[in-house]
Amino acid sequence: MPFPEEESLQPLTQRWPRTSKFLLSGCAATVAELATFPLDLTKTRLQMQGEAALAKLGDGAMESAPYRGMMRTALGIVQEEGFLKLWQGVTPAIYRHVVYSGGRMVTYEHLREVVFGKSEDEHYPLWKSVIGGMMAGVIGQFLANPTDLVKVQMQMEGKRRLEGKPLRFRGVHHAFAKILAEGGIRGLWAGWIPNIQRAALVNMGDLTTYDTVKHYLVLNTALEDNIATHGLSSLCSGLVASILGTPADVIKSRIMNQPRDKQGRGLLYKSSTDCVIQAVQGEGFLSLYKGFLPSWLRMTPWSMVFWLTYEKIRQLSGVSPF
């Protein structure tokens, strides 16, 4: 057992390993979020397009707004709202990813190293990785739900302005305060069930795929634990995460963006299942994959930027590779 003097001389990453990993993953997530946020905004706008349930409220925006693809949506935002509006909602997105990424990474590594136990030869069964990835996603997303809710609602503010509707928020902190005032604490966790469902699927795709592919390449090929291996693994994880997560992302975004009563209850959807049924009946099955292209095009570079940055800053900080 080290003496107090010896312990105080140890690097911070050794004295507080979990806190250090939380902060390092938050830094990597911030870089990735800033680089790819315009695609996230485009994806969210596409997912709200043609929302059949709005007919309940007599909202004429569904009929007046033209259907747009990914490029036309992005160009429309620039032309109609301004270039910097491509980053509208980025502040709560960064808040969200610091909490979300920090929570999921620390949880996954704790489960892998302590609860499930990785073998001495670095072998880690796929089924353990799947469970660990899903649990990490659930815990990380539950903690970050209030920031995710604000991000989604702020991303739709530009669209409300174009439709002649009054803006709901003056800024991030006003959005938090207004949601809390209107729906209470419960209102900050609106949509948390579809949110953690999505996070479980996305992290089963992201964390599980990255961890499995990386260690397979290191253990079974001539590749070493370097930037090439990290890049290949992150490409695979981004694709799998997009395929698994897009339907849940559509449902999550719609539930979070729907109008609510004074008790914080949604006026369009009773539950995530009800949202799925209404979307499929009113718009067809493929409506669950609205925004898939920008989601994939965002998820892949996001995954690459995050994992390359995360692995590098771990190395620079003296933390063992993921």
Side-chain angles (χ1 to χ4, degrees), residues 24-36:
L24 292 177
S25 62
C27 291
T30 299
V31 174
E33 195 66 19
L34 287 170
T36 62

Side-chain angles (χ1 to χ4, degrees), residues 156-213:
M156 298 305 295
E157 287 297 272
K159 183 172 181 287
R160 288 178 63 87
R161 183 187 293 111
L162 292 176
E163 293 172 352
K165 299 176 181 178
L167 297 183
R168 295 173 292 185
F169 315 117
R170 294 191 298 270
V172 177
H173 299 102
H174 178 243
F176 274 109
K178 186 174 181 181
I179 293 172
L180 185 62
E182 293 179 351
I185 293 295
R186 176 182 176 182
L188 289 174
W189 267 266
W192 72 272
I193 293 178
N195 222 359
I196 65 170
Q197 290 169 343
R198 172 192 177 273
L201 293 171
V202 167
N203 282 278
M204 183 173 66
D206 185 30
L207 285 172
T208 300
T209 302
Y210 182 84
D211 195 18
T212 302
V213 171

Side-chain angles (χ1 to χ4, degrees), residues 7-18:
E7 186 176 347
S8 64
L9 294 175
Q10 292 179 342
L12 294 178
T13 54
Q14 295 182 20
R15 291 162 59 189
W16 298 301
R18 292 178 187 169

